[in-house]
């Protein structure tokens, strides 16, 4: 139960900090309802819809309703997929409202010492420091290579964890040795005719747990005619912080990233993680009240492109032959790549250009898979419910490869493959890895 004084403080903060014009933008038309996963999964309860959540926020701001656990639970259950935004006739920036409301509630939330220490460890001591991320994932790599993972499963240690986490442990990619990560160059030259100089946003998890996918991304960019630089001093994008009410920390990280990429002086900033892309794209919104940084953020944002978009713009699919053995492939959209970056046709064009592969569009490919950052950890029940329904749609395509464009989505689809006992029959892959495999297959055939 919230204390009366806490409720007053939250109400005051909502009145001072929430964008009231944006709250009024919602016309309550209901166009968002069919696109909202939680509204559908929760039997069409209004409080789990975008317009229902906006109504709750406005009610608190107006002083009509008091802040409550029901409000917190409604906002916490939101995936933040932002599928409501493209279908909104008023253009309501729901994602901004959600993050602002969560930040207010987080500041006033009463937490145990353990939770406070955990949040501090994750948000202050781990993700903002890439060297620490490398050390932690290095331990995961040792756990995998040493055989400890097999022992943990054999003795039933993983049974102490929730089912979804225990299954996720099985599908984690093999983490490279830290020495391999450290010895990678930061500058790469183009192949063929030079078309651009690009800076790669390497990401915290992408450059550790998904190091090979970053390597594939660099290979594709070079073959497309790009010099590639990986700026030093770049950090985690800050999305995890922004989505969990730690906006001030995400602002600090945004400033450091902007400064790091300014030094690179590249034509474009390339991303290969839809969730990171979307948060990076909104650095200008995040810093719009800081004159010193607003213009710099605008320049940063103007250079952002997803790997699939830059490849299409440089006609990679027309100048390079791609092929795979005869099989069906399908694509699961990254919510943020589609709904915020507005990039959804480009991955499909690239996949359809692969000879031997038959692309089948999945029903509901544009809806969330249930990953949503750390959602599948903090809301495992709803996440697994959404994933199970997603895997039914995957099965209908009869695909042998499920392609994604975001690490969280990739792990979630791998988890879905494991849950449906399709391991060895169906692969979940990042689009960069698929394209590199298709390049290698063609080169092998024509060697």
């Amino acid at each position: 139960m919230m204390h009366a004084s806490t409720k007053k403080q939250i109400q005051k903060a909502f009145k001072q900090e929430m964008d009231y014009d944006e709250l009024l933008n919602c016309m309550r038309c209901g166009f968002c309802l069919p696109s909202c996963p939680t509204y559908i999964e929760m039997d069409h309860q209004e409080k789990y819809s975008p317009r229902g959540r906006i109504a709750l926020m406005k009610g608190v701001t107006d002083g009509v309703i008091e802040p409550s656990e029901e409000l917190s639970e409604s906002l916490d259950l939101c995936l933040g997929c932002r599928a409501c935004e493209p279908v909104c006739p008023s253009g309501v920036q729901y994602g901004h409202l959600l993050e602002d409301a969560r930040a207010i509630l987080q500041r006033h939330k009463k937490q145990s010492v353990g939770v406070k220490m955990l949040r501090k460890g994750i948000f202050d001591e781990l993700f903002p420091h890439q060297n620490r991320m490398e050390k932690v994932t290095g331990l995961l790599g040792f756990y995998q290579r040493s055989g400890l993972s097999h022992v943990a499963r054999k003795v039933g240690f993983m049974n102490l964890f929730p089912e979804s986490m225990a299954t996720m442990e099985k599908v984690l990619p093999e983490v490279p040795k830290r020495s391999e990560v450290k010895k990678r160059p930061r500058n790469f030259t183009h192949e063929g005719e030079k078309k651009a100089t690009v800076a790669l946003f390497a990401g915290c998890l992408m450059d550790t747990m998904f190091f090979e996918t970053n390597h594939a991304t660099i290979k594709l960019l070079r073959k497309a005619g790009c010099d590639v630089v990986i700026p030093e001093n770049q950090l985690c994008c800050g999305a995890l912080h922004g989505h969990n009410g730690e906006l001030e920390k995400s602002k600090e990280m945004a400033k450091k990233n902007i400064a790091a990429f300014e030094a690179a002086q590249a034509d474009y900033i390339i991303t290969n993680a839809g969730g990171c892309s979307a948060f990076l794209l909104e650095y200008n919104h995040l810093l719009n009240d800081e004159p010193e940084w607003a213009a710099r953020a605008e320049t940063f944002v103007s250079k952002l492109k997803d790997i699939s978009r830059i490849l299409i713009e440089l006609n990679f699919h027309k100048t390079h032959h791609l092929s795979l053995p005869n099989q069906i492939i399908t694509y699961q959209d990254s919510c943020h790549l589609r709904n915020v970056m507005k990039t959804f046709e480009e991955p499909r064009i690239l996949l359809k250009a692969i000879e031997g592969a038959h692309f089948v569009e999945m029903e509901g490919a544009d809806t969330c898979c249930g990953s949503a950052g750390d959602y599948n950890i903090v809301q495992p029940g709803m996440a697994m419910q959404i994933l199970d329904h997603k895997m039914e749609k995957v099965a209908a395509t009869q695909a042998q490869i499920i392609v994604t464009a975001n690490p969280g989505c990739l792990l979630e689809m791998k988890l879905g493959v494991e849950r449906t006992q399709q391991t060895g029959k169906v692969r979940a892959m990042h689009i960069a890895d698929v394209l590199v495999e298709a390049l290698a297959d063609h080169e092998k055939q024509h060697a």
Side-chain angles (χ1 to χ4, degrees):
M1 291 288 291
M2 284 188 188
H3 193 275
S5 61
T6 303
K7 290 182 180 180
K8 287 182 180 179
Q9 290 171 358
I10 293 174
Q11 214 150 28
K12 183 179 178 181
F14 264 70
K15 194 166 292 188
Q16 291 176 341
E17 300 174 35
M18 293 299 294
D19 186 337
Y20 199 70
D21 289 338
E22 202 62 55
L23 289 171
L24 288 175
N25 264 348
C26 178
M27 302 185 301
R28 316 290 190 264
C29 65
F31 276 46
C32 59
L33 302 183
S35 67
C36 179
T38 54
Y39 175 73
I40 294 168
E41 296 290 342
M42 296 298 285
D43 298 323
H44 299 168
Q45 292 184 59
E46 189 70 32
K47 67 180 178 180
Y48 298 117
S49 73
R51 76 173 180 186
R53 291 179 173 114
I54 290 174
L56 289 171
M57 294 179 210
K58 185 174 180 296
V60 173
T61 305
D62 289 338
V64 176
I65 62 175
E66 289 188 336
S68 63
E69 296 300 334
E70 183 179 44
L71 170 67
S72 295
E73 190 253 353
S74 172
L75 298 185
D76 287 345
L77 201 65
C78 179
L79 290 146
C81 68
R82 298 173 70 167
C84 51
E85 292 184 11
V87 299
C88 178
S90 299
V92 175
Q93 295 296 301
Y94 172 79
H96 297 167
L97 293 173
L98 177 67
E99 288 184 358
D100 289 345
R102 281 177 168 173
I104 294 169
L105 291 173
Q106 177 57 39
R107 285 204 313 267
H108 295 90
K109 187 177 289 185
K110 189 175 182 180
Q111 296 171 329
S112 66
V113 174
V115 170
K116 286 180 180 178
M117 289 178 64
L118 180 62
R119 287 183 67 91
K120 181 174 176 57
I122 293 173
F123 295 125
D124 294 351
E125 305 300 333
L126 179 58
F127 277 89
H129 306 279
Q130 188 61 16
N131 62 326
R132 295 176 189 173
M133 287 292 295
E134 290 172 4
K135 288 179 182 177
V136 170
T137 51
L139 290 174
L140 174 60
F142 173 77
Y143 168 78
Q144 293 171 331
R145 291 187 298 272
S146 66
L148 284 173
S149 58
H150 299 294
V151 174
R153 292 172 205 157
K154 191 172 181 179
V155 301
F157 177 72
M158 296 311 299
N159 294 335
L160 299 175
F161 296 88
E163 180 190 352
S164 59
M165 289 185 66
T167 307
M168 184 70 78
E169 184 267 346
K170 294 181 184 178
V171 302
L172 290 174
E174 290 187 15
V175 178
K177 293 179 180 179
R178 196 167 177 227
S179 58
E180 291 180 44
V181 178
K182 287 293 185 184
K183 72 180 182 182
R184 181 196 57 198
R186 288 196 171 270
N187 292 277
F188 301 83
T189 55
H190 63 281
E191 295 182 14
E193 176 191 355
K194 182 180 176 181
K195 297 180 180 178
T197 297
V198 302
L200 177 66
F201 184 81
C204 51
L205 285 178
M206 288 303 299
D207 216 34
T208 48
M209 194 176 293
F210 296 93
F211 183 76
E212 289 303 318
T213 299
N214 268 0
H215 183 69
T217 301
I218 293 166
K219 184 173 183 177
L220 293 171
L221 289 167
R222 293 180 67 199
K223 286 189 172 293
C226 298
D227 284 346
V228 183
V229 59
I230 306 175
E232 292 189 64
N233 303 319
Q234 60 175 296
L235 307 173
C236 167
C237 66
L240 185 68
H241 299 74
H243 300 328
N244 285 277
E246 301 282 347
L247 284 179
E248 290 307 311
K249 178 61 70 173
S250 64
K251 286 182 179 181
E252 291 177 26
M253 296 163 76
K255 292 172 185 177
K256 291 179 180 178
N257 278 327
I258 290 169
F261 280 86
E262 284 174 340
Q265 297 183 321
D267 300 314
Y268 305 109
I269 298 169
I270 305 302
T271 64
N272 59 6
C276 298
S277 303
F279 200 77
L280 294 170
L281 190 70
E282 298 197 326
Y283 274 7
N284 54 350
H285 170 74
L286 192 66
L287 300 171
N288 66 356
D289 59 346
E290 299 190 36
E292 179 189 349
W293 287 94
R296 296 169 71 179
E298 288 285 355
T299 301
F300 177 92
V301 166
S302 70
K303 293 184 177 186
L304 280 169
K305 289 183 186 291
D306 176 69
I307 177 62
S308 61
R309 175 163 287 185
I310 190 71
L311 291 179
I312 291 295
E313 290 180 357
L314 297 178
N315 288 318
F316 173 85
H317 59 305
K318 295 179 180 178
T319 56
H320 291 78
H321 293 288
L322 303 164
S323 66
L324 285 174
N326 184 34
Q327 60 193 300
I328 296 172
I329 59 177
T330 194
Y331 180 71
Q332 166 61 32
D333 282 289
S334 155
C335 294
H336 289 105
L337 186 61
R338 182 184 184 98
N339 300 325
V340 184
M341 289 288 283
K342 311 300 181 189
T343 300
F344 48 89
E345 292 179 351
E346 293 86 348
R348 290 169 168 83
I349 293 171
L350 290 167
L351 294 174
K352 289 175 182 177
I354 301 174
E355 296 176 7
H358 177 53
F359 180 81
V360 175
E361 183 71 35
M362 185 201 316
E363 181 186 351
D366 58 344
T367 62
C368 188
C369 63
S371 173
D374 62 351
Y375 189 90
N376 55 9
I377 297 173
V378 298
Q379 298 285 350
M382 178 57 68
M384 292 305 101
Q385 189 173 320
I386 291 170
L387 176 59
D388 289 343
H389 290 156
K390 177 65 66 177
M391 294 309 296
E392 292 172 4
K393 305 298 185 186
V394 170
T397 69
Q398 298 184 318
Q400 284 84 51
I401 301 179
I402 312 163
V403 185
T404 74
N406 184 58
C409 303
L410 179 57
L411 285 178
E412 192 76 352
M413 298 316 297
K414 283 178 176 287
L415 178 59
V417 169
E418 181 73 19
R419 280 172 66 86
T420 54
Q421 300 180 335
Q422 294 293 304
T423 302
K425 301 175 184 176
V426 178
R427 291 190 293 165
M429 299 179 68
H430 190 283
I431 188 167
D433 296 313
V434 173
L435 293 174
V436 166
E437 186 173 303
L439 275 173
D441 184 83
H442 182 83
E443 291 170 359
K444 182 180 177 182
Q445 288 184 33
H446 295 80

